[in-house]
Amino acid sequence: SQQGEEDPQALSIQEGENATMNCSYKTSINNLQWYRQNSGRGLVHLILIRSNEREKHSGRLRVTLDTSKKSSSLLITASRAADTASYFCATGGGTSGSRLTFGEGTQLTVNP
Amino acid sequence: DTAVSQTPKYLVTQMGNDKSIKCEQNLGHDTMYWYKQDSKKFLKIMFSYNNKELIINETVPNRFSPKSPDKAHLNLHINSLELGDSAVYFCASSQAFTGIGEAFFGQGTRLTVV
């Protein structure tokens, strides 16, 4: 069954603006990860946040995790045209066991 | 230098044929996976192997058979291909089996069944 649901499904912004994507999940987890997928390419890992963490930063990325609400958000600050891609959240461990369960993804378009 | 490589990148074949997709990782990881991405970009796990042992086998038709000759390779063989098998198939690997760490993905194999 599908674990994660992301919103929005599509997001279009101008370069320099911030982009926020949300992810909700249903089961207990060990960690939550965010991945980026450029068109026609494989997924690239961006950031991992453990279930006992609330916030994590990596460069222009900021991830929050609220295990009580079973939700996470990914913020990309000062977006660039090169950030245009699909972004997926994935939950690992916990009830999901040894698998990564992916959300539906958010298609981000950053217009120059 | 490629961490996870899969071949071929594109595969066009007729219904009823049998085809294989190969995957190799040079990261020294113990765990490898096959994922299927449909036309709506939804990613669903198909199989997971840990040290050549099958760990996860989702509800996948018996026509799909993974084979892991060693922990660096996980191949996917598909018998009697159907139109609905058309999708992008991704191989991935990760170090951690329990707790799940970062996964590294191959570039994908776009399978088109005509």
Side-chain angles (χ1 to χ4, degrees):
Chain A
S1 62
Q2 183 176 322
Q3 166 76 315
E5 295 180 3
E6 296 179 58
D7 77 271
Q9 288 190 336
L11 180 61
S12 181
I13 59 174
Q14 295 299 123
E15 241 181 350
E17 293 180 343
N18 295 341
T20 300
M21 290 161 266
N22 302 297
C23 167
S24 62
Y25 57 92
K26 298 173 182 173
T27 63
S28 67
I29 63 170
N30 176 281
N31 64 68
L32 187 142
Q33 303 177 37
W34 286 89
Y35 288 79
R36 184 186 74 226
Q37 183 180 30
N38 289 86
S39 181
R41 307 295 295 273
L43 282 80
V44 174
H45 182 265
L46 294 176
I47 194 166
L48 181 154
I49 186 167
R50 300 191 191 285
S51 59
N52 60 355
E53 297 176 310
R54 292 296 167 257
E55 187 171 315
K56 202 162 184 180
H57 297 254
S58 176
R60 293 185 296 113
L61 306 180
R62 173 177 164 250
V63 170
T64 62
L65 179 64
D66 186 336
T67 52
S68 66
K69 295 181 179 178
K70 291 186 164 55
S71 67
S72 173
S73 68
L74 171 67
L75 168 67
I76 304 175
T77 59
S79 63
R80 305 166 182 168
D83 294 329
T84 295
S86 293
Y87 291 81
F88 295 88
C89 68
T91 54
T95 312
S96 298
S98 59
R99 71 194 66 194
L100 273 177
T101 305
F102 284 84
E104 296 177 320
T106 293
Q107 173 61 47
L108 173 66
T109 302
V110 182
N111 302 300
Chain B
D1 288 326
T2 305
V4 181
S5 60
Q6 49 182 113
T7 56
K9 188 171 181 180
Y10 300 98
L11 188 51
V12 181
T13 187
Q14 291 187 325
M15 270 177 27
N17 284 351
D18 304 338
K19 290 293 178 185
S20 292
I21 306 172
K22 295 185 176 182
C23 179
E24 175 182 5
Q25 54 96 2
N26 62 5
L27 298 166
H29 288 166
D30 291 333
T31 307
M32 296 185 72
Y33 312 83
W34 277 108
Y35 279 85
K36 178 180 180 180
Q37 187 173 43
D38 63 22
S39 58
K40 296 184 178 179
K41 291 195 172 182
F42 182 62
L43 275 154
K44 184 173 170 56
I45 190 166
M46 300 172 68
F47 301 103
S48 169
Y49 270 72
N50 186 60
N51 275 321
K52 303 192 300 175
E53 182 181 345
L54 179 66
I55 302 300
I56 294 172
N57 183 349
E58 286 294 287
T59 310
V60 177
N62 291 336
R63 299 181 294 103
F64 290 79
S65 53
K67 283 193 170 48
S68 182
D70 55 61
K71 75 174 193 177
H73 296 83
L74 180 61
N75 304 321
L76 184 64
H77 188 76
I78 316 169
N79 290 326
S80 304
L81 279 154
E82 300 177 355
L83 293 176
D85 298 332
S86 295
V88 182
Y89 292 85
F90 286 99
C91 176
S93 73
S94 68
Q95 180 58 48
F97 173 61
T98 57
I100 302 297
E102 172 186 356
F104 292 78
F105 281 77
Q107 291 295 294
T109 295
R110 181 174 294 277
L111 171 65
T112 304
V113 183
V114 297

